[in-house]
Amino acid sequence: MTGSDHDACPACGAGTRTEQWCGVCGLDLRSETAGGLRSLTGRLAATEVELASVAARRDALASELAQRRWESDRRAPMPAPDIPAFRPFARPGAGTNTAEWGVERVRNLLLWTGATLLALSALAFTAVAWTHLGPGGRAALLIAFTVVSAVMASALRSRLPATAGAFTGLTIALALIDWQVVRRAGVAPGMSTKAWWATGTAVVSGLSAGLGRIAAPVPARRAIALLLPVSAVLAIAANASASWSVALSLAVLAAAMVAALHFVTPRSDDQVVAATLRLGAGAVWFGGALYALDAAIEPTRFVETMLPAAVMLAFTLAPGLAARPAPGTFDSIDRVPMAFLVFAAVIGAALTLASASLGSIGMLTFAAVFGGFAIVAAPHLASTWSRAAHAAGIASGAAGLVFAVSGAAVAVFGPLAWFAEAWTGNTGTRAARVVAGPQTSDAVGLGWCAVAILIVTAAALACTSRPRTNARRAFDTQTRRAGAVGFVLLAIALAPIAAGASALVAGAVTAGATALAMLGAAVAARRDDKRALTSGLLVVVTAVPAAGWAALTRTTSIVVLATVLISALAAAAVGRSGWLRAAHAAIGTSAAITLAAVSMLAGDRTRPSAGFAALIVAGVVMVVGSLARKDTADGPVVEIVGATGMIVGVALALPSVTWVGAGLTAMVPLFLVASVRRDRTYTYATSAGAAALGATWVWLAGADVKVVEAYTLPAAAIALAVGTLAWKTGRARSWLNLGPACAIALGPTLALAIARNDDTRAVTVGIAGLAVLLLGARRRLQAPIVLGAITLVALGIDKIGPHAVRLPRWTVLAIAGALLLWVGTTFERRRDDVQRAARRLGDLG
């Protein structure tokens, strides 16, 4: 590498000449990092060159576009305005004013605002003159205004086309007002309002077509696109009486409007006309669909549903035409919504045809089946129709799926109500009668239709879960497969209730499904570790109702817990995923601990004895996790579950002092055995000490011992043992190792000696404090020295206090004065002594 390569550091830009290391930032100029920085710098420079080229092309196109716009305005040639150059990262100067609208937009806004004001003034003049003129005069006056506006629009067509367009719009608006005035003048009094305005809008549409010939064509075309559909809708409303005829007419009208849109699009680039036709067709289609739904609510016989179904199919005409682009044109509009409406109309026709023989729940099931077929068929269709079929399938099955999931939720979470009244049920009772506890009255929506919807949904997800190349999906393959399994498990939980089986069968089915789901999750995660989380969570779907049904009777509780215990341990042995094995081990050990307590309770034993049994099993689990499952992923989890089970066991035994003391006493050897493991020695030894202390306190309390030292001295001994163990391993200073033991041994006795003026305790704690002080001084340890000294000083102050009160008052002042004089005289030396003593105290352990 030459010296020229190092003229500038790529990181900081400093000049470095031929050095290997940058003198500013310290970068190795011959390393891969420096090379990568130089590569990025070169690519950035090339990108800036490309950006400048694109900006130049944009400026050229903008100038050409402005020139053509000025030429099409039919004005005298004027110099084209300067188009600002495109600078994507440049900011305008502080004093520049950027125009937000172009000249044409401002001009059109002014013209149309003026036309609107003229129309409003005409309305105001008509309202004022209405009381002074007769019907004929009013009509003649407004017609005169309309004629003048039309003449102005025609006269200005060549010279001022924009102004002519404004007058054309004004003429059309005045024509609509004239039609209303003619109506008020008494013309055609027997005609309904809908029919009158259907005729009027059609007449004004014809007038607009004529104005398009002699005046501005653009406003005329837009008025026709708006008025003709309105005329047709009003004509349908005036002539059709039945809902089905209205729906059929509106469907045909929507199709005609879409056909007109296909005819107009290749011949005109007016986006307003296209948008008007598109929005109008959509509004007409949805309005007709509402009429069709209103008419389809109560079909009674199959024959009567044939015509409604045909009407439903008629609603596929307009979206079907809209879903295909106009020939010879390129249209970037997304046509998926139109294709979706085609599928929706077909499904609606099928449901209408079957509505005579199916109830509401059957209709939901039928819709879900149609939706499943649409979702399965979607990948085999063209892009637009595939997306539409997928969306239509989801929309069709959504209501049924919500219904089925709601019923399945009752089947899953309802049995949990038995925990409030455990062991009061009967396994022979029909499951549907007790699915939400003994107070269940009616289980609605828990039939075979809900099961069928869940199975159809699972099948649709399974069929669409195959990997597809170059396909964007909201849910990946694994999620779809997991969803399919989840819906199958929901169906399994719901099936016994739908079949009218007993609670025993429901419990057996859910417990068996839970066992198989755990084993299946372990096997699935062996092939792909990414499936572990999803597969493991799916077990909850059947485990929740199994737990609820287990609370039905004592026998079901024991059987379900034993099943879960065996299957979970088997899954932990079979599995290869670390955290999933840990989860299964946690489930199995939790089931073992719970089974011990439940078995005791089922045998009419007391709750404290059940808690003791759970504590013993939990202790064994903890020892197994600590020693037998060492260096495994599930070992720490088993230890945590065991320790938690021991705490829960003590809590269950709390009403009985005897069982609590026995439990705490049994915990000591269990913790000591677990502490054989070297990296757990300190933790379990400390826990054993705490358990021994708790057992001592409990047994003392049970013996009605009230001497405080009987409780504090064992605690101090335990704290001293733990502190000594920590001191040998060098974990902390004396305040953490020996401070708690000294404080527990001296503090309560000292407080009682002072509070009760107990000479015996005072002498005892004084001797103990002196011993602690001397031992701390011998070993040069801070905590014993400080705590022993505080104890002796506190005792001294307590003993001298009553005598100090009886001294003469002047003695206090004399002592204070002498002390201040002595301190002032030796201040400097004493300050050095205090600092030296503090340093020496800090140097102690």
Side-chain angles (χ1 to χ4, degrees):
M1 184 176 293
T2 64
S4 60
D5 294 332
H6 304 296
D7 288 343
C9 174
C12 63
T16 59
R17 297 188 300 277
T18 60
E19 290 85 350
Q20 179 179 357
W21 303 90
C22 177
V24 176
C25 64
L27 176 67
D28 185 0
L29 299 176
R30 299 180 182 179
S31 63
E32 294 182 0
T33 303
L37 291 174
R38 293 189 185 93
S39 175
L40 288 176
T41 304
R43 290 165 60 188
L44 178 60
T47 304
E48 290 179 351
V49 172
E50 294 178 1
L51 183 60
S53 176
V54 172
R57 290 200 301 271
R58 182 261 175 195
D59 294 341
L61 292 174
S63 299
E64 183 180 356
L65 176 61
Q67 183 66 34
R68 293 189 179 184
R69 283 178 175 174
W70 281 99
E71 291 176 355
S72 64
D73 197 26
R74 299 184 182 181
R75 293 189 175 188
M78 297 179 62
D82 294 333
I83 303 298
F86 176 65
R87 298 292 184 265
F89 303 108
R91 297 183 178 179
T96 60
N97 294 322
T98 305
E100 297 179 351
W101 279 5
V103 177
E104 295 180 2
R105 180 174 293 185
V106 174
R107 179 196 62 196
N108 292 334
L109 176 64
L110 294 177
L111 288 174
W112 284 101
T113 303
T116 304
L117 293 176
L118 285 176
L120 293 175
S121 64
L123 288 174
F125 177 78
T126 303
V128 172
W130 193 263
T131 57
H132 299 85
L133 296 175
R138 300 164 190 160
L141 182 62
L142 284 176
I143 291 174
F145 274 123
T146 305
V147 172
V148 171
S149 177
V151 171
M152 292 292 295
S154 178
L156 297 174
R157 178 183 181 183
S158 300
R159 292 182 296 171
L160 300 173
T163 306
F167 273 104
T168 301
L170 177 62
T171 303
I172 296 171
L174 290 175
L176 293 174
I177 297 173
D178 293 342
W179 192 259
Q180 175 62 19
V181 171
V182 170
R183 172 71 168 175
R184 296 293 296 271
V187 177
M191 186 179 292
S192 65
T193 303
K194 295 178 182 178
W196 174 262
W197 276 107
T199 306
T201 49
V203 171
V204 176
S205 297
L207 174 63
S208 301
L211 288 173
R213 294 283 185 177
I214 63 174
V218 175
R221 288 197 298 265
R222 295 175 179 177
I224 294 171
L226 178 62
L227 294 176
L228 272 182
V230 172
S231 175
V233 170
L234 291 174
I236 292 171
N239 297 294
S241 57
S243 298
W244 285 119
S245 59
V246 174
L248 180 59
S249 302
L250 291 178
V252 174
L253 175 60
M257 294 178 67
V258 174
L261 177 62
H262 280 266
F263 176 78
V264 170
T265 301
R267 294 168 176 79
S268 174
D269 58 351
D270 194 336
Q271 296 299 321
V272 176
V273 173
T276 303
L277 290 174
R278 190 176 295 113
L279 293 176
V284 170
W285 193 95
F286 282 107
L290 292 177
Y291 272 99
L293 292 176
D294 178 67
I297 291 177
E298 297 180 355
T300 57
R301 294 188 300 273
F302 178 78
V303 176
E304 294 180 358
T305 61
M306 294 295 291
L307 180 60
V311 175
M312 283 287 187
L313 288 175
F315 283 99
T316 63
L317 299 176
L321 291 173
R324 301 183 62 182
T329 62
F330 175 76
D331 195 349
S332 60
I333 297 175
D334 187 6
R335 301 187 179 278
V336 174
M338 295 297 104
F340 169 80
L341 295 179
V342 173
F343 284 109
V346 172
I347 294 175
L351 293 177
T352 303
L353 191 63
S355 60
S357 57
L358 298 176
S360 57
I361 297 179
M363 291 282 286
L364 290 176
T365 309
F366 201 41
V369 173
F370 267 101
F373 277 119
I375 292 174
V376 172
H380 305 286
L381 302 177
S383 176
T384 299
W385 294 97
S386 174
R387 294 161 57 192
H390 193 269
I394 294 175
S396 176
L401 184 59
V402 171
F403 162 76
V405 171
S406 300
V410 175
V412 170
F413 297 104
L416 294 179
W418 280 101
F419 282 113
E421 302 182 52
W423 297 354
T424 60
N426 186 351
T427 54
T429 308
R430 197 159 57 92
R433 300 288 299 175
V434 293
V435 67
Q439 309 301 325
T440 303
S441 57
D442 235 346
V444 181
L446 302 182
W448 285 114
C449 287
V451 175
I453 292 173
L454 293 173
I455 294 297
V456 168
T457 305
L461 286 175
C463 291
T464 58
S465 63
R466 290 179 299 177
R468 296 175 59 193
T469 58
N470 300 326
R472 297 170 56 187
R473 289 182 168 184
F475 302 102
D476 58 6
T477 299
Q478 298 297 337
T479 305
R480 290 171 183 263
R481 291 176 179 173
V485 175
F487 283 118
V488 169
L489 293 177
L490 286 176
I492 291 174
L494 185 58
I497 302 172
S502 63
L504 178 62
V505 174
V509 169
T510 52
T514 302
L516 293 177
M518 281 192 288
L519 292 173
V523 173
R526 293 183 70 179
R527 294 191 298 268
D528 186 359
D529 192 62
K530 296 180 180 179
R531 303 178 183 177
L533 177 61
T534 307
S535 304
L537 291 177
L538 287 174
V539 179
V540 179
V541 177
T542 52
V544 171
W549 292 120
L552 199 66
T553 63
R554 303 184 182 192
T555 304
T556 54
S557 297
I558 295 175
V559 171
V560 170
L561 284 172
T563 303
V564 172
L565 169 62
I566 296 172
S567 59
L569 295 181
V574 171
R576 291 294 179 267
S577 173
W579 79 264
L580 189 58
R581 289 176 59 190
H584 287 152
I587 294 173
T589 51
S590 300
I593 297 170
T594 308
L595 181 61
V598 169
S599 299
M600 294 292 291
L601 293 174
D604 294 328
R605 302 297 180 88
T606 61
R607 194 181 76 176
S609 62
F612 180 79
L615 184 148
I616 297 300
V617 175
V620 174
V621 166
M622 181 196 65
V623 172
V624 171
S626 176
L627 301 180
R629 302 303 298 170
K630 183 180 179 181
D631 300 329
T632 61
D634 53 306
V637 177
V638 172
E639 291 183 73
I640 293 173
V641 171
T644 306
M646 296 172 75
I647 296 173
V648 173
V650 172
L652 290 174
L654 272 180
S656 173
V657 176
T658 302
W659 285 110
V660 170
L664 291 174
T665 303
M667 291 171 66
V668 176
L670 291 171
F671 280 125
L672 290 178
V673 172
S675 66
V676 173
R677 182 174 170 181
R678 288 187 174 277
D679 57 343
R680 298 282 197 271
T681 300
Y682 181 78
T683 301
Y684 286 129
T686 304
S687 301
L693 177 61
T696 304
W697 283 355
V698 171
W699 291 123
L700 289 173
D704 201 19
V705 175
K706 297 181 180 178
V707 179
V708 174
E709 285 75 13
Y711 296 91
T712 58
L713 292 181
I718 296 297
L720 181 61
V722 174
T724 303
L725 181 62
W727 179 264
K728 290 181 179 180
T729 58
R731 290 181 179 271
R733 295 171 61 88
S734 63
W735 281 106
L736 293 177
N737 295 328
L738 304 178
C742 296
I744 295 173
L746 301 176
T749 303
L750 176 63
L752 290 175
I754 295 174
R756 299 179 181 179
N757 196 21
D758 191 337
D759 292 335
T760 303
R761 278 194 170 93
V763 173
T764 304
V765 77
I767 296 173
L770 179 62
V772 169
L773 175 62
L774 293 177
L775 289 175
R778 185 173 181 274
R779 300 297 298 270
R780 293 185 298 172
L781 301 176
Q782 258 188 39
I785 293 174
V786 173
L787 293 177
I790 290 175
T791 302
L792 295 175
V793 171
L795 284 175
I797 293 174
D798 177 63
K799 296 305 178 183
I800 201 173
H803 302 287
V805 174
R806 290 193 290 269
L807 292 175
R809 298 179 181 178
W810 60 266
T811 306
V812 178
L813 297 177
I815 293 174
L819 180 63
L820 290 175
L821 287 175
W822 178 74
V823 171
T825 304
T826 61
F827 177 76
E828 292 295 333
R829 185 166 58 85
R830 298 303 174 191
R831 186 185 64 176
D832 294 339
D833 292 341
V834 170
Q835 292 177 351
R836 191 180 303 108
R839 287 195 299 270
R840 290 181 178 178
L841 180 63
D843 293 337
L844 297 179

Coordinates of all heavy atoms in Angstrom, one line a residue, residues 326-363:
A326 N -60.1 -2.0 -18.3 CA -60.6 -1.7 -19.6 C -59.7 -2.1 -20.7 O -58.4 -1.9 -20.5 CB -60.9 -0.2 -19.7
P327 N -60.1 -2.6 -21.8 CA -59.2 -3.0 -22.9 C -58.4 -1.8 -23.5 O -59.0 -0.7 -23.7 CB -60.2 -3.6 -23.9 CG -61.5 -3.0 -23.6 CD -61.6 -2.8 -22.2
G328 N -57.2 -2.1 -23.7 CA -56.3 -1.0 -24.3 C -55.8 0.0 -23.4 O -55.3 1.0 -23.8
T329 N -56.1 -0.2 -22.0 CA -55.6 0.8 -21.1 C -54.8 0.2 -20.0 O -54.9 -1.0 -19.8 CB -56.8 1.5 -20.4 OG1 -57.6 0.6 -19.7 CG2 -57.7 2.2 -21.5
F330 N -54.0 1.0 -19.4 CA -53.2 0.5 -18.2 C -53.8 1.3 -17.0 O -53.7 2.5 -16.9 CB -51.7 0.8 -18.4 CG -50.9 0.5 -17.2 CD1 -50.6 -0.8 -16.9 CD2 -50.5 1.5 -16.3 CE1 -49.9 -1.2 -15.8 CE2 -49.8 1.2 -15.2 CZ -49.4 -0.2 -14.9
D331 N -54.3 0.5 -16.1 CA -55.0 1.1 -14.9 C -54.3 0.5 -13.7 O -54.3 -0.7 -13.5 CB -56.5 0.8 -14.9 CG -57.2 1.6 -13.9 OD1 -56.5 2.3 -13.1 OD2 -58.5 1.7 -13.9
S332 N -53.8 1.3 -12.8 CA -53.1 0.9 -11.6 C -54.0 0.7 -10.4 O -53.5 0.5 -9.3 CB -51.9 1.8 -11.3 OG -52.4 3.1 -11.0
I333 N -55.3 0.9 -10.6 CA -56.2 0.8 -9.5 C -56.2 -0.6 -8.9 O -56.3 -1.6 -9.7 CB -57.6 1.3 -9.9 CG1 -57.6 2.7 -10.3 CG2 -58.6 1.1 -8.8 CD1 -58.9 3.2 -10.9
D334 N -56.2 -0.8 -7.6 CA -56.3 -2.1 -7.0 C -57.7 -2.6 -7.2 O -58.7 -2.1 -6.7 CB -56.0 -2.0 -5.5 CG -55.9 -3.4 -4.9 OD1 -56.0 -4.3 -5.6 OD2 -55.7 -3.4 -3.7
R335 N -57.8 -3.8 -7.9 CA -59.2 -4.3 -8.2 C -59.6 -5.5 -7.3 O -60.5 -6.1 -7.5 CB -59.2 -4.8 -9.7 CG -58.9 -3.7 -10.7 CD -59.1 -4.1 -12.1 NE -58.8 -2.9 -13.0 CZ -59.6 -2.0 -13.2 NH1 -60.8 -2.0 -12.7 NH2 -59.3 -1.0 -14.0
V336 N -58.8 -5.6 -6.3 CA -59.1 -6.7 -5.3 C -60.5 -6.4 -4.6 O -61.2 -7.4 -4.4 CB -58.0 -6.8 -4.2 CG1 -58.4 -7.8 -3.1 CG2 -56.7 -7.3 -4.9
P337 N -60.8 -5.2 -4.2 CA -62.1 -5.0 -3.6 C -63.3 -5.4 -4.5 O -64.3 -5.9 -4.0 CB -62.1 -3.5 -3.3 CG -60.7 -3.1 -3.2 CD -60.0 -3.9 -4.2
M338 N -63.2 -5.1 -5.8 CA -64.2 -5.5 -6.7 C -64.4 -7.1 -6.8 O -65.5 -7.6 -6.8 CB -64.0 -5.0 -8.1 CG -64.0 -3.4 -8.2 SD -65.6 -2.7 -7.8 CE -65.3 -2.2 -6.1
A339 N -63.2 -7.7 -6.9 CA -63.2 -9.2 -6.9 C -63.8 -9.7 -5.6 O -64.5 -10.8 -5.6 CB -61.8 -9.7 -7.2
F340 N -63.5 -9.1 -4.5 CA -64.0 -9.5 -3.2 C -65.5 -9.4 -3.2 O -66.2 -10.3 -2.7 CB -63.4 -8.6 -2.1 CG -64.1 -8.7 -0.8 CD1 -63.8 -9.8 0.0 CD2 -65.0 -7.8 -0.4 CE1 -64.4 -9.9 1.3 CE2 -65.7 -8.0 0.9 CZ -65.3 -9.0 1.7
L341 N -66.1 -8.3 -3.8 CA -67.5 -8.2 -3.8 C -68.2 -9.3 -4.7 O -69.3 -9.7 -4.4 CB -67.9 -6.8 -4.4 CG -67.5 -5.6 -3.5 CD1 -67.9 -4.3 -4.2 CD2 -68.1 -5.8 -2.1
V342 N -67.5 -9.8 -5.7 CA -68.0 -10.9 -6.5 C -68.1 -12.1 -5.6 O -69.2 -12.8 -5.6 CB -67.1 -11.1 -7.7 CG1 -67.5 -12.4 -8.4 CG2 -67.1 -10.0 -8.7
F343 N -67.1 -12.5 -4.9 CA -67.1 -13.6 -4.1 C -68.2 -13.4 -3.0 O -68.9 -14.4 -2.6 CB -65.7 -13.9 -3.4 CG -64.8 -14.5 -4.3 CD1 -63.7 -13.8 -4.8 CD2 -64.9 -15.8 -4.7 CE1 -62.8 -14.3 -5.7 CE2 -64.0 -16.4 -5.6 CZ -62.9 -15.7 -6.1
A344 N -68.3 -12.2 -2.4 CA -69.2 -12.0 -1.4 C -70.7 -12.2 -1.9 O -71.5 -12.8 -1.2 CB -69.1 -10.6 -0.8
A345 N -70.9 -11.7 -3.1 CA -72.3 -11.9 -3.7 C -72.6 -13.4 -4.0 O -73.7 -13.9 -3.7 CB -72.4 -11.1 -5.0
V346 N -71.6 -14.1 -4.4 CA -71.8 -15.6 -4.7 C -72.1 -16.3 -3.4 O -73.0 -17.1 -3.3 CB -70.6 -16.2 -5.4 CG1 -70.7 -17.7 -5.5 CG2 -70.4 -15.6 -6.8
I347 N -71.3 -16.0 -2.3 CA -71.5 -16.6 -1.0 C -72.9 -16.2 -0.5 O -73.6 -17.0 0.1 CB -70.4 -16.3 -0.1 CG1 -69.1 -16.9 -0.6 CG2 -70.7 -16.8 1.3 CD1 -67.9 -16.5 0.3
G348 N -73.2 -14.9 -0.6 CA -74.6 -14.5 -0.2 C -75.7 -15.2 -0.9 O -76.7 -15.5 -0.3
A349 N -75.5 -15.4 -2.2 CA -76.6 -16.1 -3.0 C -76.7 -17.6 -2.5 O -77.8 -18.1 -2.3 CB -76.2 -16.1 -4.4
A350 N -75.6 -18.2 -2.2 CA -75.6 -19.6 -1.7 C -76.3 -19.7 -0.3 O -77.1 -20.5 0.0 CB -74.2 -20.2 -1.6
L351 N -76.0 -18.7 0.5 CA -76.6 -18.7 1.9 C -78.1 -18.4 1.8 O -78.9 -19.0 2.5 CB -75.9 -17.7 2.7 CG -74.4 -18.0 3.1 CD1 -73.8 -16.9 3.9 CD2 -74.3 -19.3 3.9
T352 N -78.4 -17.5 0.9 CA -79.9 -17.2 0.7 C -80.6 -18.4 0.2 O -81.7 -18.7 0.6 CB -80.0 -16.0 -0.3 OG1 -79.3 -14.9 0.2 CG2 -81.5 -15.6 -0.4
L353 N -80.0 -19.2 -0.7 CA -80.7 -20.4 -1.2 C -80.9 -21.4 -0.1 O -81.9 -22.1 -0.1 CB -79.8 -20.9 -2.4 CG -80.4 -22.0 -3.2 CD1 -81.6 -21.5 -3.9 CD2 -79.4 -22.6 -4.2
A354 N -79.9 -21.5 0.8 CA -80.0 -22.5 1.9 C -80.7 -22.0 3.1 O -80.9 -22.8 4.1 CB -78.6 -23.0 2.3
S355 N -81.1 -20.8 3.1 CA -81.7 -20.2 4.4 C -83.0 -20.8 4.7 O -83.5 -20.7 5.9 CB -81.8 -18.7 4.2 OG -82.7 -18.4 3.1
A356 N -83.8 -21.4 3.8 CA -85.1 -21.9 4.1 C -85.0 -23.2 4.9 O -85.9 -23.5 5.7 CB -85.8 -22.2 2.8
S357 N -83.9 -23.9 4.8 CA -83.7 -25.2 5.5 C -82.8 -25.2 6.7 O -82.6 -26.1 7.4 CB -83.3 -26.3 4.6 OG -82.1 -25.9 3.9
L358 N -82.1 -24.0 6.9 CA -81.1 -23.9 7.9 C -81.5 -22.8 8.9 O -82.0 -21.8 8.5 CB -79.7 -23.6 7.4 CG -79.1 -24.7 6.4 CD1 -77.7 -24.1 5.9 CD2 -78.8 -26.0 7.1
G359 N -81.2 -23.1 10.2 CA -81.4 -22.0 11.2 C -80.3 -21.1 11.2 O -79.3 -21.1 10.4
S360 N -80.3 -20.2 12.2 CA -79.2 -19.2 12.2 C -77.9 -19.8 12.5 O -76.9 -19.4 11.9 CB -79.6 -18.2 13.4 OG -79.7 -18.9 14.6
I361 N -77.8 -20.8 13.4 CA -76.5 -21.4 13.7 C -76.1 -22.2 12.5 O -74.9 -22.3 12.1 CB -76.6 -22.3 14.9 CG1 -77.0 -21.4 16.2 CG2 -75.3 -23.1 15.2 CD1 -77.1 -22.2 17.4
G362 N -77.0 -22.9 11.8 CA -76.7 -23.6 10.6 C -76.1 -22.7 9.5 O -75.2 -23.1 8.8
M363 N -76.7 -21.5 9.4 CA -76.2 -20.5 8.4 C -74.8 -20.1 8.7 O -73.9 -20.0 7.8 CB -77.1 -19.3 8.4 CG -78.5 -19.5 7.9 SD -78.5 -19.6 6.1 CE -78.3 -17.9 5.7

